[in-house]
Amino acid sequence: MSSSIDHVQQLADLLRKSDNIVAFTGAGISTESGIPDFRSPGGVWSKYQPVEFDDFLRHAEARRQYWTIRRESVPQMLAAKPNAGHHALVELEQRGKLQAVVTQNIDELHQRAGSTRVLELHGTAMQVQCLECDKRWTAAELQPRLEADELELICDACDGIMKSMTVSFGQALSADVLMDSMQRARECDLMIAIGSSLVVYPANEVPATAKRNGAKLVILNREKTPLDSYGDLVIRGEIGQTLSAAVTQLS
Ligand code: NAD
């Protein structure tokens, strides 16, 4: 599917007129880097149910399932490279237009592309912490242990339970990150929601809040979203080509 030239021009016009843009991104911006979103066939999520936070805390079996998923998904994220969509957002920041990226993604590809103001609503899968003493590890350094079938990771400093620094279903988001994201949403003049089904609460409150506070709302996603009827511009197209074509028109 491709977005029409007309849509690209409309997006470029909105970008030109705005200087306080916030991008709200979801798993869709990383599929072109080879990281599957929730729905793609063949992705880890088509094989495993995500583990709820309560189950993770209570049951060793749930933790084994959790680390089995990480054993597959972390190498994909480590091997992935930022794509045209991530790079277009970096260029918008460097032109002084984009003030922040609020992301649901846990793959750190925005930061690796060069975005400097990234608010990670759901944390990062690239770091692991002890839930008791807060000792930290990189996901990369723990990967050999997972591959050796060590699927119950216990902190070597205090015997606490270790967990990726992501927000699981049933786990609270960081209040600071959420507050900062909402503040930026209230203040922006243009919110671009990119590659998100916009069904995960409370993250989807970020674009909704921007619209309620007078910002223009652009939705760029392959599929319909529940916020489409509030969008000033809704583009059902591919992210990399659409964003880079629009940003190119700014020069
Ligand atoms: P989602 O999977 O619910 O929705 C992604 C949307 O992107 C879908 O509607 C899909 O049609 C669209 N899409 C995929 N590739 C696209 C492309 N190239 N061009 C245009 N549209 C495209 O993702 P979500 O809304 O982010 O919510 C899922 C949750 O899963 C999030 O909380 C996130 O933390 C987590 N997650 C993160 C990653 C990651 O970090 N890369 C990957 C999978 C899941």
Side-chain angles (χ1 to χ4, degrees):
M1 191 198 295
S2 68
S3 44
S4 70
I5 294 171
D6 192 38
H7 274 152
V8 169
Q9 262 161 16
Q10 288 177 48
L11 176 56
D13 282 345
L14 285 168
L15 297 175
R16 217 173 269 121
K17 287 181 198 142
S18 313
D19 56 13
N20 188 348
I21 304 172
V22 171
F24 175 84
T25 65
I29 198 169
S30 292
T31 56
E32 291 169 33
S33 295
I35 302 173
D37 62 18
F38 260 153
R39 292 176 175 74
S40 305
V44 278
W45 306 112
S46 60
K47 278 188 270 176
Y48 305 103
Q49 284 286 333
V51 176
E52 302 255 343
F53 188 52
D54 256 14
D55 291 334
F56 179 88
L57 292 179
R58 285 190 200 156
H59 305 294
E61 193 45 48
R63 292 195 286 277
R64 293 180 65 79
Q65 158 98 347
Y66 178 90
W67 290 114
T68 303
I69 296 171
R70 295 287 151 186
R71 181 168 61 184
E72 276 190 46
S73 59
V74 165
Q76 264 178 347
M77 293 185 196
L78 288 169
K81 293 195 172 51
N83 64 57
H86 299 102
H87 292 305
L89 294 183
V90 175
E91 182 158 352
L92 276 180
E93 180 186 327
Q94 288 170 351
R95 285 169 178 267
K97 290 187 161 290
L98 184 79
Q99 301 310 326
V101 177
V102 177
T103 190
Q104 299 171 93
N105 293 349
I106 55 175
D107 55 29
E108 293 190 11
L109 286 184
H110 287 298
Q111 294 93 321
R112 281 168 53 198
S115 288
T116 64
R117 290 183 293 274
V118 182
L119 297 167
E120 294 173 309
L121 285 172
H122 295 157
T124 173
M126 300 294 100
Q127 297 282 323
V128 174
Q129 86 189 124
C130 170
L131 295 180
E132 296 297 327
C133 73
D134 201 32
K135 183 170 175 181
R136 309 271 168 103
W137 299 261
T138 65
E141 74 185 289
L142 294 175
Q143 190 62 20
R145 289 170 61 182
L146 298 180
E147 275 163 21
D149 263 344
E150 195 186 325
L151 295 171
E152 173 79 1
L153 294 183
I154 298 296
C155 174
D156 53 13
C158 78
D159 288 342
I161 292 176
M162 290 159 63
K163 183 179 179 296
S164 295
M165 291 181 72
T166 51
V167 178
S168 295
F169 286 103
Q171 188 176 8
L173 279 69
S174 150
D176 284 350
V177 176
L178 187 58
M179 258 170 33
D180 197 0
S181 303
M182 289 301 191
Q183 180 71 19
R184 287 176 185 275
R186 279 190 291 271
E187 289 170 356
C188 71
D189 57 7
L190 176 63
M191 169 68 66
I192 328 174
I194 304 163
S196 173
S197 54
L198 299 177
V199 296
V200 177
Y201 176 87
N204 58 4
E205 273 299 307
V206 173
T209 296
K211 179 66 189 170
R212 277 199 296 274
N213 284 272
K216 295 251 191 274
L217 174 63
V218 175
I219 297 174
L220 169 54
N221 203 53
R222 237 183 233 156
E223 298 173 320
K224 286 189 182 154
T225 82
L227 293 190
D228 284 0
S229 56
Y230 302 101
D232 296 279
L233 175 62
V234 177
I235 307 178
R236 283 214 220 300
E238 294 302 298
I239 293 163
Q241 79 181 53
T242 309
L243 277 184
S244 43
V247 170
T248 304
Q249 287 203 10
L250 296 181
S251 13

